[in-house]
Amino acid sequence: MDTGPIYVRERGNLRRVNDIVLAQPKSVSSSCSSCRRTDPFVLRKEHFIFTYNAEGSLRYTTKSLFDITLLFVVDNIYHVDSLVGFPEQIGDKLFAAAEEKHVFLNAEISTKALLLFSDAYGEMVLRSLCLRNRFPLLHERMSEIRTFHSLKSLDLFGCRLGDDHEIFLHLTSSSLASLNQLFIGGNSLSDAGLQKLTAPIRMMKKGLDCLQVLDLSYNPISERAYRYLTCLSKLEKLDLSGTSLKLCTRLKTTIWDLLGLIYSEEPLDTFDHTRCKTEGWAEQVVHQWESNNSHLPKQKKIEESRSSALHFCKFIQGYAHISHP
């Protein structure tokens, strides 16, 4: 793609710097050349760094070959088959360059690009994702969110999951084998939904193998629900606040017998939302997605927020945090 002429001022004179063309490659068929977004043999404006000296004269220096190579890879990221084996330092710089070029905002290539990085660098791309009360973001970026294979913590509180959301299959897939904290409170999740969510674990013994913390607060679940949790062998902390379960001696005994958990007199810090963060290379990418989502009509967004608040607040009751002794 031709960027047009570029001039720099040196010692009071203008000089054109982008009319130098490197050796052209051998001729290729039109079908092959159409696969390229850019011609790597033509110097481009972004290959230079322009600065002013103390006298006010414009100076330029060429970027390093490494930086130019990064730009070329980012521009053609959809042609990359794998990044496995490339050092973490390279991956970090490449991800930052892709983010700067808004690759992850392009719906046509964002999923493939994120999958490349997730397959190669795992939890460094994203180890914690907080989508609390961000249901539009979850629904609009579902395909990209599924590429984050190495999450340790996932907060989906107030995301309107209901009993039959497509993310249920992802939560119990091998892709999230390392997940140890899951927050799905305030989602109108009933006993039937919890039964469906845990079905792969109970029947096929796969999924959520490392789960230690589970938030089911403010969901319309009954005493049947915790019987579906017996398959979570590593569960250590459970939040049942705001559900239809009533705190009593029988409930305490049943929870202890089935799950090995005891009632905690004090609220656990684990379920304090201030501890929930989005962490990893893709942290700013998630923020960019949310910023783009804010362009929805203002009145519509306010109405959805109010409706959501009324819907989830009707389950608010006393706190009943349960944890290991």
Side-chain angles (χ1 to χ4, degrees):
M1 182 174 62
D2 186 10
T3 57
I6 301 174
Y7 296 88
V8 297
R9 183 182 298 277
E10 288 185 343
R11 298 179 182 178
N13 297 318
L14 288 177
R15 186 167 74 86
R16 183 170 175 171
V17 299
N18 70 328
D19 55 352
I20 303 174
V21 180
L22 301 180
Q24 295 292 324
K26 294 181 179 180
S27 60
V28 294
S29 64
S30 59
S31 61
C32 291
S33 60
S34 64
C35 295
R36 293 182 178 273
R37 291 174 58 190
T38 58
D39 184 350
F41 290 89
V42 178
L43 294 180
R44 296 156 55 184
K45 182 178 180 180
E46 58 189 14
H47 293 168
F48 298 91
I49 301 175
F50 297 92
T51 58
Y52 287 93
N53 60 16
E55 290 75 26
S57 298
L58 183 64
R59 299 290 184 179
Y60 76 94
T61 56
T62 57
K63 291 184 178 180
S64 67
L65 180 59
F66 175 78
D67 289 335
I68 293 176
T69 303
L70 279 184
L71 291 174
F72 177 74
V73 174
V74 168
D75 283 340
N76 296 274
I77 194 70
Y78 53 90
H79 287 313
V80 178
D81 291 328
S82 175
L83 293 173
V84 175
F86 285 85
E88 298 171 6
Q89 296 87 341
I90 301 296
D92 188 11
K93 291 182 179 295
L94 187 59
F95 191 94
E99 182 183 338
E100 185 177 353
K101 299 276 284 187
H102 303 296
V103 168
F104 306 118
L105 295 180
N106 185 340
E108 295 181 357
I109 61 175
S110 59
T111 300
K112 174 178 171 56
L114 285 170
L115 188 59
L116 281 172
F117 286 101
S118 293
D119 287 345
Y121 304 106
E123 67 178 87
M124 284 180 288
V125 177
L126 208 66
R127 55 186 169 273
S128 176
L129 177 59
C130 180
L131 297 178
R132 196 176 186 90
N133 294 319
R134 296 177 176 90
F135 52 89
L137 182 58
L138 172 65
H139 298 307
E140 292 177 11
R141 294 291 179 173
M142 179 63 69
S143 60
E144 288 93 338
I145 290 171
R146 280 198 291 250
T147 66
F148 300 133
H149 292 167
S150 301
L151 289 175
K152 301 290 186 182
S153 176
L154 178 60
D155 191 337
L156 298 175
F157 187 101
C159 284
R160 300 185 178 182
L161 301 183
D163 287 336
D164 194 31
H165 199 278
E166 60 180 301
I167 202 171
F168 285 179
L169 290 177
H170 179 59
L171 292 177
T172 54
S173 68
S174 58
S175 298
L176 287 182
S178 60
L179 189 69
N180 56 47
Q181 294 187 348
L182 178 61
F183 303 85
I184 50 176
N187 276 294
S188 297
L189 183 69
S190 69
D191 295 344
L194 192 59
Q195 180 183 22
K196 181 174 182 178
L197 173 62
T198 58
I201 313 170
R202 292 181 288 106
M203 299 176 66
M204 294 177 283
K205 308 298 181 183
K206 68 174 186 178
L208 299 179
D209 298 332
C210 299
L211 193 67
Q212 298 176 351
V213 176
L214 178 61
D215 176 12
L216 294 175
S217 61
Y218 310 119
N219 283 311
I221 56 178
S222 68
E223 293 185 4
R224 290 178 52 197
Y226 48 72
R227 299 183 182 276
Y228 299 132
L229 304 179
T230 56
C231 57
L232 303 176
S233 59
K234 295 186 178 180
L235 188 64
E236 295 181 358
K237 297 179 181 179
L238 175 66
D239 188 356
L240 297 175
S241 307
T243 66
S244 58
L245 297 173
K246 303 297 182 181
L247 182 62
C248 60
T249 301
R250 185 172 66 86
L251 177 63
K252 293 180 181 180
T253 302
T254 304
I255 291 289
W256 169 251
D257 291 341
L258 293 179
L259 304 177
L261 305 178
I262 63 172
Y263 174 67
S264 174
E265 296 290 342
E266 298 294 331
L268 301 175
D269 292 339
T270 305
F271 299 109
D272 183 354
H273 174 58
T274 58
R275 294 174 175 267
C276 177
K277 298 178 181 178
T278 296
E279 296 179 311
W281 294 349
E283 177 180 348
Q284 292 304 316
V285 173
V286 176
H287 293 330
Q288 289 173 3
W289 291 343
E290 187 172 10
S291 297
N292 281 1
N293 186 62
S294 67
H295 297 313
L296 290 173
K298 187 174 182 181
Q299 184 62 35
K300 180 180 179 181
K301 191 168 186 178
I302 292 176
E303 288 178 355
E304 287 186 348
S305 178
R306 289 175 179 172
S307 174
S308 176
L310 290 172
H311 180 73
F312 297 123
C313 284
K314 68 180 181 179
F315 299 114
I316 295 180
Q317 298 175 6
Y319 289 87
H321 293 282
I322 299 174
S323 69
H324 264 312

